[in-house]
Amino acid sequence: MSAAVPPHAGALPVALVTGGVRGIGLACARELARRGYEVWVGWRSSEQRAARLSEEFGGRMLRADLADPSEAQRLADELARTRAGIDAWIHCAGDYHAGPLESTGAEVLAELWSSNVVTFHNTWRALRPRLRARAANGGARVLAFGAPGLAGLRARRDAAAYAAVKSALVVLVRSLAVEEAAHGVTFHVLSPGLVPHDAAHAQTLDPRMLERVPQRRAASPDEIARCAAWLLSDEARHATGSELVVSGGWML
């Protein structure tokens, strides 16, 4: 883990995007930077991508395997060396798996749980003091990513294991929204549909999937990032525990 930015006294709001070196996470990091945040980018295994992006984000790149609580704490401590508080945290880490449950082994389910739910929980526990510190002076925001169609707990013919762990994440986020309301930290889930990008699952590019979307188009990472930025803005300050579905009508 490394961070090349020395401490300085600045007034910019601070944002951390974990899983921020590719796809939607990268788009969120860039959108927040465009809106005036000092953005820190967390990453795990995409070393070449992180190296290419280091200059763009001023060296504010933090490497950690967030499934390990000690690594999550190390990331938070590294950030704390230069910033006492965090205004916003977007968690965009998490693996995806497609396929019926019949062919989904226990090891796949365990990995989905670890990468989507455990990483969020570990990172939240590590960042909690910094988020609360910022919230005491005007509010702090947390955003996780879900999947469309979770609200009704509907059955899935494909990607059922992925939908199951994302449903658990929604419950976790909403529970934290209640627990942390007194401390001024708000929580949201953003659930995108089909969003093609260079690291997306091949299924995202399947024309048969696109036919299921009422708007008959996929979203771009930048489009999703703008929605994420709105949930973190003062305009959404009174909202917490919400799930914003941005899927073109898919899974309604």
Side-chain angles (χ1 to χ4, degrees):
M1 179 164 24
S2 62
V5 177
H8 66 84
L12 293 180
V14 177
L16 170 67
V17 182
T18 43
V21 297
R22 59 183 183 175
I24 295 173
L26 176 57
C28 287
R30 285 172 167 164
E31 179 66 20
L32 293 183
R34 188 184 70 79
R35 294 182 183 225
Y37 284 81
E38 177 187 282
V39 178
W40 294 71
V41 178
W43 62 282
R44 181 189 64 177
S45 57
S46 302
E47 187 168 1
Q48 291 183 347
R49 288 176 179 269
R52 290 196 300 268
L53 292 167
S54 182
E55 182 176 356
E56 177 179 346
F57 291 101
R60 296 183 292 270
M61 312 296 292
L62 300 170
R63 183 176 189 174
D65 181 357
L66 301 176
D68 181 340
S70 66
E71 285 282 291
Q73 187 62 56
R74 188 158 62 89
L75 177 146
D77 291 344
E78 183 78 10
L79 181 55
R81 291 191 182 98
T82 58
R83 292 292 174 266
I86 303 171
D87 297 277
W89 167 41
I90 296 180
H91 189 60
C92 203
D95 294 335
Y96 174 80
H97 176 76
L101 291 173
E102 180 183 21
S103 59
T104 302
E107 71 284 355
V108 173
L109 187 60
E111 178 55 34
L112 288 172
W113 177 264
S114 177
S115 66
N116 286 278
V117 180
V118 174
T119 58
F120 178 85
H121 184 64
N122 287 344
T123 310
W124 156 245
R125 286 175 61 85
L127 294 177
R128 180 171 53 196
R130 283 89 182 172
L131 286 161
R132 286 181 176 180
R134 188 68 77 192
N137 295 302
R141 283 88 176 192
V142 175
L143 176 67
F145 277 85
L150 299 180
L153 296 178
R154 58 188 295 178
R156 300 295 180 99
R157 294 182 181 275
D158 188 55
Y162 178 75
V165 299
K166 286 298 189 182
S167 296
L169 182 61
V170 171
V171 173
L172 185 65
V173 169
R174 286 179 172 168
S175 300
L176 285 169
V178 173
E179 287 189 13
E180 292 298 313
H183 298 284
V185 186
T186 61
F187 290 78
H188 301 283
V189 174
L190 176 56
S191 294
L194 301 178
V195 187
H197 54 82
D198 64 350
H201 191 275
Q203 192 181 63
T204 303
L205 305 175
D206 187 341
R208 294 170 297 180
M209 296 291 290
L210 192 60
E211 290 174 359
R212 302 178 190 176
V213 179
Q215 287 191 356
R216 294 302 176 98
R217 72 174 182 88
S220 70
D222 290 343
E223 190 173 8
I224 300 302
R226 288 192 292 271
C227 293
W230 179 80
L231 285 171
L232 301 179
S233 70
D234 284 342
E235 293 176 332
R237 186 172 181 176
H238 193 53
T240 191
S242 65
E243 181 194 6
L244 177 62
V245 181
V246 186
S247 65
W250 187 37
M251 292 289 185
L252 286 179

PDB file of all heavy atoms in Angstrom, residues 113 117 120-121 144-146 150-151 153 163-179 187-189 191 241-243:
ATOM      1  N   TRP A 113     -19.619 -13.730  -1.113  1.00  0.00           N
ATOM      2  CA  TRP A 113     -19.905 -13.156   0.198  1.00  0.00           C
ATOM      3  C   TRP A 113     -18.717 -12.338   0.704  1.00  0.00           C
ATOM      4  O   TRP A 113     -18.871 -11.218   1.181  1.00  0.00           O
ATOM      5  CB  TRP A 113     -20.255 -14.270   1.188  1.00  0.00           C
ATOM      6  CG  TRP A 113     -20.498 -13.780   2.579  1.00  0.00           C
ATOM      7  CD1 TRP A 113     -19.606 -13.748   3.608  1.00  0.00           C
ATOM      8  CD2 TRP A 113     -21.717 -13.235   3.094  1.00  0.00           C
ATOM      9  NE1 TRP A 113     -20.195 -13.226   4.736  1.00  0.00           N
ATOM     10  CE2 TRP A 113     -21.479 -12.899   4.450  1.00  0.00           C
ATOM     11  CE3 TRP A 113     -22.980 -12.997   2.542  1.00  0.00           C
ATOM     12  CZ2 TRP A 113     -22.467 -12.338   5.251  1.00  0.00           C
ATOM     13  CZ3 TRP A 113     -23.960 -12.433   3.347  1.00  0.00           C
ATOM     14  CH2 TRP A 113     -23.701 -12.110   4.687  1.00  0.00           C
ATOM     15  N   VAL A 117     -19.689  -8.486   0.662  1.00  0.00           N
ATOM     16  CA  VAL A 117     -20.239  -8.131   1.973  1.00  0.00           C
ATOM     17  C   VAL A 117     -19.143  -7.939   3.020  1.00  0.00           C
ATOM     18  O   VAL A 117     -19.106  -6.927   3.723  1.00  0.00           O
ATOM     19  CB  VAL A 117     -21.255  -9.189   2.452  1.00  0.00           C
ATOM     20  CG1 VAL A 117     -21.821  -8.815   3.816  1.00  0.00           C
ATOM     21  CG2 VAL A 117     -22.386  -9.334   1.437  1.00  0.00           C
ATOM     22  N   PHE A 120     -17.051  -4.806   2.550  1.00  0.00           N
ATOM     23  CA  PHE A 120     -17.760  -3.597   2.981  1.00  0.00           C
ATOM     24  C   PHE A 120     -17.746  -3.474   4.499  1.00  0.00           C
ATOM     25  O   PHE A 120     -17.460  -2.402   5.052  1.00  0.00           O
ATOM     26  CB  PHE A 120     -19.199  -3.616   2.464  1.00  0.00           C
ATOM     27  CG  PHE A 120     -20.010  -2.429   2.908  1.00  0.00           C
ATOM     28  CD1 PHE A 120     -19.966  -1.237   2.198  1.00  0.00           C
ATOM     29  CD2 PHE A 120     -20.795  -2.482   4.053  1.00  0.00           C
ATOM     30  CE1 PHE A 120     -20.685  -0.125   2.616  1.00  0.00           C
ATOM     31  CE2 PHE A 120     -21.518  -1.380   4.483  1.00  0.00           C
ATOM     32  CZ  PHE A 120     -21.468  -0.204   3.762  1.00  0.00           C
ATOM     33  N   HIS A 121     -18.052  -4.571   5.183  1.00  0.00           N
ATOM     34  CA  HIS A 121     -18.121  -4.542   6.642  1.00  0.00           C
ATOM     35  C   HIS A 121     -16.759  -4.212   7.259  1.00  0.00           C
ATOM     36  O   HIS A 121     -16.658  -3.365   8.161  1.00  0.00           O
ATOM     37  CB  HIS A 121     -18.615  -5.893   7.156  1.00  0.00           C
ATOM     38  CG  HIS A 121     -18.802  -5.941   8.641  1.00  0.00           C
ATOM     39  ND1 HIS A 121     -19.736  -5.167   9.305  1.00  0.00           N
ATOM     40  CD2 HIS A 121     -18.171  -6.665   9.605  1.00  0.00           C
ATOM     41  CE1 HIS A 121     -19.679  -5.416  10.594  1.00  0.00           C
ATOM     42  NE2 HIS A 121     -18.733  -6.308  10.808  1.00  0.00           N
ATOM     43  N   ALA A 144     -22.772   2.075  -1.323  1.00  0.00           N
ATOM     44  CA  ALA A 144     -22.396   0.739  -1.789  1.00  0.00           C
ATOM     45  C   ALA A 144     -23.179   0.433  -3.057  1.00  0.00           C
ATOM     46  O   ALA A 144     -24.186   1.091  -3.355  1.00  0.00           O
ATOM     47  CB  ALA A 144     -22.685  -0.302  -0.711  1.00  0.00           C
ATOM     48  N   PHE A 145     -22.741  -0.596  -3.764  1.00  0.00           N
ATOM     49  CA  PHE A 145     -23.397  -0.961  -5.018  1.00  0.00           C
ATOM     50  C   PHE A 145     -24.141  -2.276  -4.880  1.00  0.00           C
ATOM     51  O   PHE A 145     -23.601  -3.267  -4.379  1.00  0.00           O
ATOM     52  CB  PHE A 145     -22.384  -1.033  -6.159  1.00  0.00           C
ATOM     53  CG  PHE A 145     -22.087   0.306  -6.756  1.00  0.00           C
ATOM     54  CD1 PHE A 145     -21.125   1.132  -6.189  1.00  0.00           C
ATOM     55  CD2 PHE A 145     -22.796   0.765  -7.851  1.00  0.00           C
ATOM     56  CE1 PHE A 145     -20.869   2.385  -6.713  1.00  0.00           C
ATOM     57  CE2 PHE A 145     -22.555   2.017  -8.382  1.00  0.00           C
ATOM     58  CZ  PHE A 145     -21.583   2.836  -7.814  1.00  0.00           C
ATOM     59  N   GLY A 146     -25.402  -2.266  -5.330  1.00  0.00           N
ATOM     60  CA  GLY A 146     -26.229  -3.450  -5.309  1.00  0.00           C
ATOM     61  C   GLY A 146     -26.496  -3.984  -6.700  1.00  0.00           C
ATOM     62  O   GLY A 146     -25.628  -3.931  -7.581  1.00  0.00           O
ATOM     63  N   LEU A 150     -33.699  -6.365  -6.345  1.00  0.00           N
ATOM     64  CA  LEU A 150     -33.518  -6.919  -5.010  1.00  0.00           C
ATOM     65  C   LEU A 150     -34.709  -6.656  -4.098  1.00  0.00           C
ATOM     66  O   LEU A 150     -34.953  -7.418  -3.163  1.00  0.00           O
ATOM     67  CB  LEU A 150     -32.257  -6.332  -4.366  1.00  0.00           C
ATOM     68  CG  LEU A 150     -30.927  -6.591  -5.084  1.00  0.00           C
ATOM     69  CD1 LEU A 150     -29.798  -5.934  -4.302  1.00  0.00           C
ATOM     70  CD2 LEU A 150     -30.673  -8.076  -5.250  1.00  0.00           C
ATOM     71  N   ALA A 151     -35.448  -5.597  -4.367  1.00  0.00           N
ATOM     72  CA  ALA A 151     -36.485  -5.161  -3.428  1.00  0.00           C
ATOM     73  C   ALA A 151     -37.539  -6.234  -3.182  1.00  0.00           C
ATOM     74  O   ALA A 151     -38.003  -6.419  -2.060  1.00  0.00           O
ATOM     75  CB  ALA A 151     -37.141  -3.887  -3.936  1.00  0.00           C
ATOM     76  N   LEU A 153     -37.184  -9.485  -3.494  1.00  0.00           N
ATOM     77  CA  LEU A 153     -36.587 -10.797  -3.226  1.00  0.00           C
ATOM     78  C   LEU A 153     -37.077 -11.836  -4.237  1.00  0.00           C
ATOM     79  O   LEU A 153     -37.409 -12.967  -3.886  1.00  0.00           O
ATOM     80  CB  LEU A 153     -36.906 -11.243  -1.789  1.00  0.00           C
ATOM     81  CG  LEU A 153     -36.324 -10.376  -0.671  1.00  0.00           C
ATOM     82  CD1 LEU A 153     -36.755 -10.907   0.684  1.00  0.00           C
ATOM     83  CD2 LEU A 153     -34.812 -10.307  -0.761  1.00  0.00           C
ATOM     84  N   ALA A 163     -27.161 -12.219  -6.554  1.00  0.00           N
ATOM     85  CA  ALA A 163     -28.298 -11.443  -6.058  1.00  0.00           C
ATOM     86  C   ALA A 163     -28.500 -11.671  -4.567  1.00  0.00           C
ATOM     87  O   ALA A 163     -28.877 -10.751  -3.829  1.00  0.00           O
ATOM     88  CB  ALA A 163     -29.560 -11.813  -6.835  1.00  0.00           C
ATOM     89  N   ALA A 164     -28.244 -12.892  -4.102  1.00  0.00           N
ATOM     90  CA  ALA A 164     -28.421 -13.200  -2.681  1.00  0.00           C
ATOM     91  C   ALA A 164     -27.453 -12.397  -1.818  1.00  0.00           C
ATOM     92  O   ALA A 164     -27.843 -11.827  -0.784  1.00  0.00           O
ATOM     93  CB  ALA A 164     -28.237 -14.695  -2.446  1.00  0.00           C
ATOM     94  N   VAL A 165     -26.183 -12.340  -2.211  1.00  0.00           N
ATOM     95  CA  VAL A 165     -25.229 -11.600  -1.384  1.00  0.00           C
ATOM     96  C   VAL A 165     -25.467 -10.100  -1.491  1.00  0.00           C
ATOM     97  O   VAL A 165     -25.272  -9.362  -0.508  1.00  0.00           O
ATOM     98  CB  VAL A 165     -23.766 -11.959  -1.736  1.00  0.00           C
ATOM     99  CG1 VAL A 165     -23.498 -13.438  -1.504  1.00  0.00           C
ATOM    100  CG2 VAL A 165     -23.408 -11.589  -3.157  1.00  0.00           C
ATOM    101  N   LYS A 166     -25.919  -9.624  -2.646  1.00  0.00           N
ATOM    102  CA  LYS A 166     -26.240  -8.203  -2.754  1.00  0.00           C
ATOM    103  C   LYS A 166     -27.462  -7.855  -1.913  1.00  0.00           C
ATOM    104  O   LYS A 166     -27.552  -6.750  -1.354  1.00  0.00           O
ATOM    105  CB  LYS A 166     -26.480  -7.827  -4.222  1.00  0.00           C
ATOM    106  CG  LYS A 166     -25.219  -7.761  -5.065  1.00  0.00           C
ATOM    107  CD  LYS A 166     -24.245  -6.693  -4.573  1.00  0.00           C
ATOM    108  CE  LYS A 166     -23.098  -6.471  -5.537  1.00  0.00           C
ATOM    109  NZ  LYS A 166     -22.117  -5.467  -5.034  1.00  0.00           N
ATOM    110  N   SER A 167     -28.422  -8.787  -1.788  1.00  0.00           N
ATOM    111  CA  SER A 167     -29.563  -8.561  -0.901  1.00  0.00           C
ATOM    112  C   SER A 167     -29.097  -8.417   0.538  1.00  0.00           C
ATOM    113  O   SER A 167     -29.591  -7.562   1.288  1.00  0.00           O
ATOM    114  CB  SER A 167     -30.557  -9.716  -1.026  1.00  0.00           C
ATOM    115  OG  SER A 167     -31.098  -9.779  -2.336  1.00  0.00           O
ATOM    116  N   ALA A 168     -28.143  -9.252   0.931  1.00  0.00           N
ATOM    117  CA  ALA A 168     -27.582  -9.147   2.273  1.00  0.00           C
ATOM    118  C   ALA A 168     -26.886  -7.806   2.470  1.00  0.00           C
ATOM    119  O   ALA A 168     -26.980  -7.190   3.547  1.00  0.00           O
ATOM    120  CB  ALA A 168     -26.612 -10.293   2.523  1.00  0.00           C
ATOM    121  N   LEU A 169     -26.198  -7.341   1.448  1.00  0.00           N
ATOM    122  CA  LEU A 169     -25.514  -6.053   1.543  1.00  0.00           C
ATOM    123  C   LEU A 169     -26.511  -4.920   1.734  1.00  0.00           C
ATOM    124  O   LEU A 169     -26.259  -3.989   2.512  1.00  0.00           O
ATOM    125  CB  LEU A 169     -24.671  -5.823   0.282  1.00  0.00           C
ATOM    126  CG  LEU A 169     -23.862  -4.532   0.241  1.00  0.00           C
ATOM    127  CD1 LEU A 169     -22.845  -4.480   1.374  1.00  0.00           C
ATOM    128  CD2 LEU A 169     -23.149  -4.400  -1.117  1.00  0.00           C
ATOM    129  N   VAL A 170     -27.641  -4.984   1.043  1.00  0.00           N
ATOM    130  CA  VAL A 170     -28.667  -3.945   1.206  1.00  0.00           C
ATOM    131  C   VAL A 170     -29.156  -3.904   2.645  1.00  0.00           C
ATOM    132  O   VAL A 170     -29.311  -2.826   3.244  1.00  0.00           O
ATOM    133  CB  VAL A 170     -29.837  -4.176   0.238  1.00  0.00           C
ATOM    134  CG1 VAL A 170     -30.997  -3.240   0.560  1.00  0.00           C
ATOM    135  CG2 VAL A 170     -29.394  -3.949  -1.205  1.00  0.00           C
ATOM    136  N   VAL A 171     -29.410  -5.064   3.244  1.00  0.00           N
ATOM    137  CA  VAL A 171     -29.857  -5.115   4.639  1.00  0.00           C
ATOM    138  C   VAL A 171     -28.785  -4.525   5.560  1.00  0.00           C
ATOM    139  O   VAL A 171     -29.089  -3.772   6.491  1.00  0.00           O
ATOM    140  CB  VAL A 171     -30.193  -6.556   5.054  1.00  0.00           C
ATOM    141  CG1 VAL A 171     -30.500  -6.633   6.550  1.00  0.00           C
ATOM    142  CG2 VAL A 171     -31.378  -7.075   4.244  1.00  0.00           C
ATOM    143  N   LEU A 172     -27.530  -4.852   5.293  1.00  0.00           N
ATOM    144  CA  LEU A 172     -26.433  -4.327   6.098  1.00  0.00           C
ATOM    145  C   LEU A 172     -26.372  -2.807   5.996  1.00  0.00           C
ATOM    146  O   LEU A 172     -26.252  -2.096   7.018  1.00  0.00           O
ATOM    147  CB  LEU A 172     -25.115  -4.941   5.628  1.00  0.00           C
ATOM    148  CG  LEU A 172     -23.858  -4.610   6.429  1.00  0.00           C
ATOM    149  CD1 LEU A 172     -23.954  -5.184   7.833  1.00  0.00           C
ATOM    150  CD2 LEU A 172     -22.622  -5.157   5.720  1.00  0.00           C
ATOM    151  N   VAL A 173     -26.469  -2.285   4.790  1.00  0.00           N
ATOM    152  CA  VAL A 173     -26.391  -0.842   4.588  1.00  0.00           C
ATOM    153  C   VAL A 173     -27.565  -0.132   5.265  1.00  0.00           C
ATOM    154  O   VAL A 173     -27.396   0.896   5.929  1.00  0.00           O
ATOM    155  CB  VAL A 173     -26.348  -0.524   3.078  1.00  0.00           C
ATOM    156  CG1 VAL A 173     -26.546   0.972   2.842  1.00  0.00           C
ATOM    157  CG2 VAL A 173     -25.028  -0.981   2.486  1.00  0.00           C
ATOM    158  N   ARG A 174     -28.759  -0.673   5.110  1.00  0.00           N
ATOM    159  CA  ARG A 174     -29.923  -0.034   5.730  1.00  0.00           C
ATOM    160  C   ARG A 174     -29.843  -0.082   7.255  1.00  0.00           C
ATOM    161  O   ARG A 174     -30.263   0.862   7.940  1.00  0.00           O
ATOM    162  CB  ARG A 174     -31.206  -0.713   5.239  1.00  0.00           C
ATOM    163  CG  ARG A 174     -31.550  -0.331   3.806  1.00  0.00           C
ATOM    164  CD  ARG A 174     -32.792  -1.020   3.313  1.00  0.00           C
ATOM    165  NE  ARG A 174     -33.183  -0.487   2.013  1.00  0.00           N
ATOM    166  CZ  ARG A 174     -34.083  -1.046   1.223  1.00  0.00           C
ATOM    167  NH1 ARG A 174     -34.687  -2.170   1.591  1.00  0.00           N
ATOM    168  NH2 ARG A 174     -34.382  -0.507   0.061  1.00  0.00           N
ATOM    169  N   SER A 175     -29.312  -1.148   7.781  1.00  0.00           N
ATOM    170  CA  SER A 175     -29.153  -1.253   9.231  1.00  0.00           C
ATOM    171  C   SER A 175     -28.154  -0.228   9.735  1.00  0.00           C
ATOM    172  O   SER A 175     -28.358   0.404  10.791  1.00  0.00           O
ATOM    173  CB  SER A 175     -28.714  -2.670   9.611  1.00  0.00           C
ATOM    174  OG  SER A 175     -29.679  -3.626   9.200  1.00  0.00           O
ATOM    175  N   LEU A 176     -27.087  -0.032   8.995  1.00  0.00           N
ATOM    176  CA  LEU A 176     -26.111   0.984   9.368  1.00  0.00           C
ATOM    177  C   LEU A 176     -26.698   2.392   9.257  1.00  0.00           C
ATOM    178  O   LEU A 176     -26.357   3.286  10.044  1.00  0.00           O
ATOM    179  CB  LEU A 176     -24.857   0.864   8.501  1.00  0.00           C
ATOM    180  CG  LEU A 176     -23.931  -0.292   8.853  1.00  0.00           C
ATOM    181  CD1 LEU A 176     -22.867  -0.475   7.776  1.00  0.00           C
ATOM    182  CD2 LEU A 176     -23.268  -0.063  10.207  1.00  0.00           C
ATOM    183  N   ALA A 177     -27.588   2.579   8.289  1.00  0.00           N
ATOM    184  CA  ALA A 177     -28.243   3.883   8.157  1.00  0.00           C
ATOM    185  C   ALA A 177     -28.991   4.237   9.430  1.00  0.00           C
ATOM    186  O   ALA A 177     -28.993   5.398   9.871  1.00  0.00           O
ATOM    187  CB  ALA A 177     -29.194   3.868   6.965  1.00  0.00           C
ATOM    188  N   VAL A 178     -29.623   3.247  10.056  1.00  0.00           N
ATOM    189  CA  VAL A 178     -30.345   3.480  11.308  1.00  0.00           C
ATOM    190  C   VAL A 178     -29.356   3.684  12.460  1.00  0.00           C
ATOM    191  O   VAL A 178     -29.486   4.629  13.249  1.00  0.00           O
ATOM    192  CB  VAL A 178     -31.289   2.300  11.612  1.00  0.00           C
ATOM    193  CG1 VAL A 178     -31.915   2.449  12.995  1.00  0.00           C
ATOM    194  CG2 VAL A 178     -32.375   2.197  10.542  1.00  0.00           C
ATOM    195  N   GLU A 179     -28.370   2.812  12.555  1.00  0.00           N
ATOM    196  CA  GLU A 179     -27.410   2.892  13.662  1.00  0.00           C
ATOM    197  C   GLU A 179     -26.617   4.189  13.655  1.00  0.00           C
ATOM    198  O   GLU A 179     -26.313   4.756  14.715  1.00  0.00           O
ATOM    199  CB  GLU A 179     -26.438   1.711  13.605  1.00  0.00           C
ATOM    200  CG  GLU A 179     -27.040   0.383  14.014  1.00  0.00           C
ATOM    201  CD  GLU A 179     -25.971  -0.696  14.147  1.00  0.00           C
ATOM    202  OE1 GLU A 179     -24.770  -0.356  14.158  1.00  0.00           O
ATOM    203  OE2 GLU A 179     -26.350  -1.874  14.247  1.00  0.00           O
ATOM    204  N   PHE A 187     -26.215   6.537   4.503  1.00  0.00           N
ATOM    205  CA  PHE A 187     -25.862   5.352   3.732  1.00  0.00           C
ATOM    206  C   PHE A 187     -26.848   5.151   2.584  1.00  0.00           C
ATOM    207  O   PHE A 187     -28.063   5.337   2.770  1.00  0.00           O
ATOM    208  CB  PHE A 187     -25.896   4.095   4.614  1.00  0.00           C
ATOM    209  CG  PHE A 187     -24.803   4.028   5.631  1.00  0.00           C
ATOM    210  CD1 PHE A 187     -24.881   4.764   6.803  1.00  0.00           C
ATOM    211  CD2 PHE A 187     -23.688   3.234   5.423  1.00  0.00           C
ATOM    212  CE1 PHE A 187     -23.876   4.707   7.754  1.00  0.00           C
ATOM    213  CE2 PHE A 187     -22.672   3.173   6.365  1.00  0.00           C
ATOM    214  CZ  PHE A 187     -22.771   3.904   7.528  1.00  0.00           C
ATOM    215  N   HIS A 188     -26.327   4.730   1.436  1.00  0.00           N
ATOM    216  CA  HIS A 188     -27.176   4.451   0.280  1.00  0.00           C
ATOM    217  C   HIS A 188     -26.655   3.247  -0.484  1.00  0.00           C
ATOM    218  O   HIS A 188     -25.475   2.892  -0.382  1.00  0.00           O
ATOM    219  CB  HIS A 188     -27.211   5.655  -0.664  1.00  0.00           C
ATOM    220  CG  HIS A 188     -27.718   6.909  -0.025  1.00  0.00           C
ATOM    221  ND1 HIS A 188     -29.053   7.140   0.213  1.00  0.00           N
ATOM    222  CD2 HIS A 188     -27.059   8.005   0.442  1.00  0.00           C
ATOM    223  CE1 HIS A 188     -29.202   8.324   0.792  1.00  0.00           C
ATOM    224  NE2 HIS A 188     -28.002   8.865   0.944  1.00  0.00           N
ATOM    225  N   VAL A 189     -27.563   2.656  -1.260  1.00  0.00           N
ATOM    226  CA  VAL A 189     -27.196   1.623  -2.218  1.00  0.00           C
ATOM    227  C   VAL A 189     -27.596   2.111  -3.606  1.00  0.00           C
ATOM    228  O   VAL A 189     -28.717   2.604  -3.799  1.00  0.00           O
ATOM    229  CB  VAL A 189     -27.909   0.287  -1.916  1.00  0.00           C
ATOM    230  CG1 VAL A 189     -27.622  -0.740  -3.013  1.00  0.00           C
ATOM    231  CG2 VAL A 189     -27.475  -0.255  -0.564  1.00  0.00           C
ATOM    232  N   SER A 191     -28.025   0.650  -7.402  1.00  0.00           N
ATOM    233  CA  SER A 191     -28.128  -0.642  -8.095  1.00  0.00           C
ATOM    234  C   SER A 191     -28.231  -0.414  -9.600  1.00  0.00           C
ATOM    235  O   SER A 191     -29.315  -0.128 -10.125  1.00  0.00           O
ATOM    236  CB  SER A 191     -29.347  -1.415  -7.588  1.00  0.00           C
ATOM    237  OG  SER A 191     -29.182  -1.781  -6.231  1.00  0.00           O
ATOM    238  N   GLY A 241     -30.448   5.277   3.898  1.00  0.00           N
ATOM    239  CA  GLY A 241     -31.024   3.942   3.815  1.00  0.00           C
ATOM    240  C   GLY A 241     -31.742   3.662   2.517  1.00  0.00           C
ATOM    241  O   GLY A 241     -32.490   2.690   2.415  1.00  0.00           O
ATOM    242  N   SER A 242     -31.519   4.474   1.501  1.00  0.00           N
ATOM    243  CA  SER A 242     -32.252   4.329   0.243  1.00  0.00           C
ATOM    244  C   SER A 242     -31.500   3.429  -0.729  1.00  0.00           C
ATOM    245  O   SER A 242     -30.292   3.235  -0.627  1.00  0.00           O
ATOM    246  CB  SER A 242     -32.467   5.699  -0.404  1.00  0.00           C
ATOM    247  OG  SER A 242     -31.226   6.268  -0.774  1.00  0.00           O
ATOM    248  N   GLU A 243     -32.261   2.874  -1.683  1.00  0.00           N
ATOM    249  CA  GLU A 243     -31.668   2.156  -2.810  1.00  0.00           C
ATOM    250  C   GLU A 243     -32.140   2.833  -4.089  1.00  0.00           C
ATOM    251  O   GLU A 243     -33.340   2.889  -4.360  1.00  0.00           O
ATOM    252  CB  GLU A 243     -32.083   0.685  -2.842  1.00  0.00           C
ATOM    253  CG  GLU A 243     -31.443  -0.070  -4.013  1.00  0.00           C
ATOM    254  CD  GLU A 243     -32.065  -1.429  -4.297  1.00  0.00           C
ATOM    255  OE1 GLU A 243     -33.081  -1.764  -3.654  1.00  0.00           O
ATOM    256  OE2 GLU A 243     -31.561  -2.130  -5.177  1.00  0.00           O
TER     257      GLU A 243
END
